[in-house]
Amino acid sequence: MTSSREDPEILPDAAEDEPNLPVNPDSANQQQPPTLLPLFDCVALDKLCHVAEMLQDRERQRIREEAEIAEKRRRWAEERAEAHRQYVFEVAKAYALELHSDQAPKSKDDDEEEEEVVKGKSRFDDAKKAIKKRRRYSSRSSDAPCGGIELSMTRHRTAPTLTELCMRVLAENSEAIESLHLVPDHLKKKISSLVSDSSKVDKAFMQLLVDDSPCEVSVKNCVDLEESDLTQILSECDRVSLQVLNLDLCGRAMTENAITELLKRSPNGFPSLTRLSLQGAFCLTDNALALISRSAPLLRVVNLCDCSLLTFQAVKILADYFGSTLRGLNIGGCQGIKPCDVFRTSLSRFEKLSSLSVAGLEGIHDVVVEFCTSRGSSLTDLSLASCVGVNDGTLWTVGRYCPNLEALDISELDSLTDASLKEITDGCRSLRSVKFTRNRFSDEGVAAFLEVCGGSINNLSLNNVRNVGQETAISLAKYCKRLHYLDLSWCRKLTEEELRQIMSCCSLLRSLKLFGWTQVTEDFLEDLSRSEVSIVGLKMTSLFAHPDDSYPSVDAKCF
């Protein structure tokens, strides 16, 4: 039966509109049809009201969240605009003072002695101005005299220790090793590195590494391992004492089936594991990562570089399990991870993250800006290499909100200018490792950065920064006394004499890369061959002559 509201043809008062007719006594005895009255379902009405209130509450919550986000963006835009206005004002003020000075024109000598100090100017601007004056008033020959710079060739390379020789012999004959019992973990790690370089890691060698209850198992090349091999090795090892597990390039073995089978055999998982590296595990899925996260509650550092099947759900899984404890995260090269609201929210949930690598991810600049704004004060290591979309505005945020950065990789970012160098120089005063590979920075900009921050840097890559020249060489020689690793590959504006000056002044230099250098003579090559510094990339030098002198990556402290 339907109500009168649903059927408009049935009206309860229809009888009142009919005319008075004579009553038929026969019809009076007949049964009259009942009058239809409107029906009201109170329960359904209450439910509808409740649903309406819920929808109104959700709409109010959405409006509040959008208003908060808009307010944050407005404040951020106002701060950036204010900083830009202040910078333009100071530049204009300095230019006006220079144009409208009532003093007589000064000579060049007087101009050098009397410099006007402008309030609000950064140390980068001051250094760049001084470099321009140095270029204007000095010549190349006076700054780098050819006859006065000599490489120290009197020192001889130290002979390898007995331990190093033994490890090389063991690595060359790894298939004949029967046991590594009582060998310390740090020596096992070195032997494993040498065997990995030779691509000789197999099931038998992995079994040697996991015997004797090690605290750390590190292998850089696991391409020959199968699913069954990995499951058997990990299920038989002492997982209670295992704290560090590095299984790089384990793509074929690290599958969801392998993890599931492992947890069936060992339900307790990895109760003591704190660091996990699965770089290049191209079969690792989000579900497999969830199983690993559930079985390793103490994880603090996770390296998932080049795991192509992972999506933004992987970051959400890690945030759910380790949002308040994770210290290091590397998701560089994970092409399945696309920027979205879930990814943005999940990344912001890592409260204590100090090392982050998003190298190679596209369209990530907005996420990086938001993360640095909220969590940048705890960051010490950041890699933005090859992130399409990262620009000077992104680096402005990094310089403003990440004052404790010690390692920064901004390689292969063509849109960056000297303005990014200025923000990094003024905001990040604790840098130790910097990579500027394949950027368009000017010679004066790089030199000014090194004059301000070069005293603390020990790892510097200027690979393919083609504008690097004389001024950078002078700053390297004067201020970068702590350099251990230096990459000057394809810097063809530098000369042989400037390289001599750098090597003579940087006494702690251990490794120097010079790929693409054609401006050196045979005599200089012979001198370099006798130098204590390991030279890689020149003609007549072996690429694999010094495998232990490879450059540390930005996240080398964690992985």
Side-chain angles (χ1 to χ4, degrees), residues 340-399:
C340 61
D341 292 338
V342 176
F343 175 62
R344 186 192 311 269
T345 305
S346 301
L347 194 63
S348 63
R349 291 168 58 191
F350 294 111
E351 301 174 2
K352 299 181 180 179
L353 201 65
S354 60
S355 177
L356 175 64
S357 175
V358 292
L361 301 187
E362 297 182 0
I364 204 72
H365 51 285
D366 291 336
V367 179
V368 172
V369 167
E370 186 171 338
F371 178 79
C372 290
T373 304
S374 58
R375 306 290 186 188
S377 58
S378 60
L379 275 181
T380 59
D381 300 66
L382 179 63
S383 176
L384 303 176
S386 304
C387 290
V388 179
V390 171
N391 51 28
D392 291 338
T394 310
L395 270 295
W396 179 87
T397 306
V398 172

Side-chain angles (χ1 to χ4, degrees), residues 245-263:
L245 180 61
N246 293 347
L247 298 176
D248 295 341
L249 304 183
C250 59
R252 294 191 300 170
M254 190 59 64
T255 63
E256 185 175 349
N257 293 332
I259 300 300
T260 304
E261 183 63 26
L262 171 63
L263 295 181

Side-chain angles (χ1 to χ4, degrees), residues 295-312:
S295 63
L298 299 182
L299 272 181
R300 296 295 179 268
V301 177
V302 180
N303 181 7
L304 301 175
C305 181
D306 297 325
C307 295
S308 54
L309 290 185
L310 295 181
T311 66
F312 64 89

Side-chain angles (χ1 to χ4, degrees), residues 242-298:
L242 189 61
Q243 299 178 5
V244 179
L245 180 61
N246 293 347
L247 298 176
D248 295 341
L249 304 183
C250 59
R252 294 191 300 170
M254 190 59 64
T255 63
E256 185 175 349
N257 293 332
I259 300 300
T260 304
E261 183 63 26
L262 171 63
L263 295 181
K264 285 182 180 178
R265 299 184 187 182
S266 308
N268 294 331
F270 302 91
S272 303
L273 193 65
T274 59
R275 299 191 178 194
L276 176 66
S277 179
L278 300 177
Q279 180 176 350
F282 54 81
C283 289
L284 185 69
T285 61
D286 295 338
N287 292 333
L289 182 62
L291 294 175
I292 295 173
S293 302
R294 190 180 304 121
S295 63
L298 299 182

Side-chain angles (χ1 to χ4, degrees), residues 49-67:
C49 294
H50 181 65
V51 171
E53 291 177 357
M54 290 179 58
L55 292 176
Q56 290 179 355
D57 291 340
R58 290 183 180 178
E59 183 64 15
R60 295 191 197 99
Q61 181 67 20
R62 186 185 64 82
I63 294 174
R64 283 196 299 269
E65 292 177 353
E66 290 180 353

